[in-house]
Every structure is written in structure tokens, then in C-alpha cells.
Amino acid sequence: MMTKPTFGTHPFLLGFDELERLVERTARSSDGYPPYNIEQTGEAGFRITLAVAGFSMEDLSITLEDAQLVVRGRARDEGERIWLHRGIAARQFQRAFVLADGVEVTGATMKNGLLHIDLQRSIPENVVKSIRIETAQD
């Protein structure tokens, strides 16, 4: 039985094996919390919106780690409350997004329990470079 080549081992995609490992690690770390949206805000703009009800700005951190945008939330200890019903989740979380080369974070805002992270992709210039072919010497 022939196996299908994976993204990192495809013969036309050289040097992308690290990207494949990054995507796999990101997919494994996701448990669905907190919920999020990704929208296109322009030709080269994006916005990630995470529902972070119950978190203050001090409870949240956004970092760039290699090619990943990582959002972490750490809920504060609320003391000795006695809950009769607790339907609003406020557990700690880590959500990671893999960013392509040229995608930069342009800002982050929080409003009405939603954390908005704005991204902008720079349009790369087309580069054409000729490679000289030399005669091999044995």
C-alpha cells in the first residue's frame, strides 16, 4: 500500500517540515476554549476575536513565539465563593495561531468581553533571480 506524502515531505515543498510540526502541535493544544472568530478586514487584513468573558486585561497575555501567536488567559482566584450554578467558564487557557511569513500583529483591543487582535499581511515583492549553471568537475 502506498502512503500519501504529508505536507512536510511533499516533493514540491522543500524545507517546510518544521511548519508541519508547528501546525500539528497547534492543533493538538486546542480544546475549543475560548471560542473565537477569524474575519478578513481588508485585502491583507485579518482580525481574530476571542470570547473572554470574565477575564480582565490583566488576566490576558499575547505573545509571538517563533511563527505562533499565543494568547493566554489566567483567571484570578475569586476567594471563597459558594456557587449555586456556574455556567460562565473562567478557566485558564492557551490558544495558538500559526502566522505565515509577513503577517504582523498591528494591535489588540478588548471591548464587551471580546479580545480583538488585528493582523496585517505585507504583500511580498515578486523576486526573480537567475541561477548560474556551472560545469561540474569530477
Side-chain angles (χ1 to χ4, degrees):
M1 182 172 129
M2 188 172 168
T3 59
K4 181 178 178 183
T6 62
F7 180 75
T9 60
H10 193 281
F12 298 130
L13 300 172
L14 303 175
F16 285 91
D17 49 333
E18 181 62 32
L19 181 59
E20 182 176 30
R21 284 192 291 274
L22 182 63
V23 170
E24 287 174 1
R25 187 173 69 233
T26 303
R28 280 195 309 269
S29 68
S30 177
D31 70 350
Y33 179 79
Y36 66 94
N37 293 333
I38 300 175
E39 64 182 297
Q40 189 161 1
T41 58
E43 185 176 323
F46 303 93
R47 173 175 269 187
I48 300 171
T49 301
L50 291 98
V52 291
F55 288 89
S56 69
M57 288 180 14
E58 293 78 27
D59 300 331
L60 301 169
S61 70
I62 304 169
T63 56
L64 287 171
E65 301 171 15
D66 295 324
Q68 288 188 99
L69 172 70
V70 181
V71 182
R72 292 182 179 91
R74 183 175 304 276
R76 289 171 279 143
D77 184 18
E78 297 182 16
E80 297 294 320
R81 288 188 171 180
I82 299 172
W83 296 100
L84 300 178
H85 173 75
R86 187 163 188 185
I88 301 172
R91 65 183 191 264
Q92 73 178 27
F93 69 87
Q94 176 175 311
R95 168 95 44 202
F97 302 90
V98 177
L99 301 182
D101 286 341
V103 174
E104 296 183 15
V105 177
T106 59
T109 57
M110 193 156 134
K111 183 178 179 183
N112 298 329
L114 297 174
L115 175 63
H116 303 287
I117 303 168
D118 293 312
L119 308 164
Q120 189 72 29
R121 178 179 51 214
S122 59
I123 307 298
E125 294 179 20
N126 288 336
V127 177
V128 177
K129 181 179 178 182
S130 294
I131 308 299
R132 185 174 161 210
I133 302 172
E134 297 182 19
T135 304
Q137 298 178 1
D138 295 325

